Amino acid sequence: MINKIRKLFGQEKQQKEITKPKSEIPHEAQLYLAAIANLQNQNYPNALELFNRIIASDNYGIDAEQDAGFHYNRSIAKSNLHDFDGAFRDLHKSLSLFERSETNFEIFRLNHQLGTPQEGMPFLVRAYEMGHPSAEDILRNNSNYFNR
């Protein structure tokens, strides 16, 4: 991911550049790193604010796979802030940009959390088809998917 960020912001240089001081990392990459750090530290309001800024930036729209990741990560912040409609919108936007097993699985997980697991089953099946590590166990233990 860091190589994609470097490429996106013109920082395609040798590996040793990773050790440069933070001030020399492009502003947009700093925003992304800060957003991820806030998400990992469960500071969801700050993560949401930073992902909003990234998505509103001029560099958004250059790489569909990367943009899908921004929406996926923003959905995590939104769901933890109980903005479930916003989380679903971001997850579906992420899928429309670039399909990943994690995004399909997260749609299932969020449906399950909200008490509507049947609505998420097609996404769980797709996550399984794409090789998501947890999807098969859930399908085996909680459905008749493999008994057809």
Side-chain angles (χ1 to χ4, degrees), residues 9-102:
F9 300 111
Q11 296 292 314
E12 286 185 294
K13 299 207 174 146
Q14 295 181 359
Q15 187 72 19
K16 65 181 179 181
E17 281 202 358
I18 292 175
T19 62
K20 284 189 166 189
K22 185 177 178 181
S23 63
E24 293 185 32
I25 297 174
H27 177 69
E28 293 82 359
Q30 288 181 37
L31 280 179
Y32 176 73
L33 294 172
I36 291 297
N38 277 280
L39 199 59
Q40 290 173 338
N41 291 321
Q42 300 177 356
N43 189 341
Y44 302 117
N46 283 356
L48 178 61
E49 151 74 32
L50 291 167
F51 280 115
N52 285 340
R53 287 173 55 192
I54 291 167
I55 290 170
S57 77
D58 292 339
N59 290 309
Y60 178 81
I62 294 172
D63 181 315
E65 183 177 357
Q66 183 173 294
D67 294 347
F70 297 151
H71 284 281
Y72 173 83
N73 286 309
R74 186 170 74 170
S75 79
I76 302 301
K78 286 180 177 182
S79 68
N80 280 286
L81 293 169
H82 305 287
D83 177 6
F84 301 114
D85 290 337
F88 277 118
R89 277 192 305 276
D90 270 339
L91 288 166
H92 286 285
K93 177 67 174 183
S94 179
L95 277 182
S96 75
L97 293 169
F98 188 85
E99 187 177 23
R100 293 183 225 212
S101 67
E102 294 84 4

Side-chain angles (χ1 to χ4, degrees), residues 1-10 29 32-33 66:
M1 181 62 128
I2 194 76
N3 289 335
K4 283 189 177 193
I5 293 171
R6 280 194 193 136
K7 185 176 181 181
L8 180 64
F9 300 111
Y32 176 73
L33 294 172
Q66 183 173 294

Side-chain angles (χ1 to χ4, degrees), residues 90-140:
D90 270 339
L91 288 166
H92 286 285
K93 177 67 174 183
S94 179
L95 277 182
S96 75
L97 293 169
F98 188 85
E99 187 177 23
R100 293 183 225 212
S101 67
E102 294 84 4
T103 308
N104 282 292
F105 189 81
E106 185 62 20
I107 292 172
F108 164 75
R109 193 200 63 75
L110 197 51
N111 272 291
H112 187 268
Q113 179 182 341
L114 296 174
T116 57
Q118 286 305 108
E119 290 181 30
M121 284 302 288
F123 298 97
L124 179 62
V125 169
R126 184 65 184 134
Y128 163 71
E129 292 170 346
M130 296 180 76
H132 191 280
S134 300
E136 182 176 352
D137 287 340
I138 293 171
L139 284 170
R140 285 197 186 283

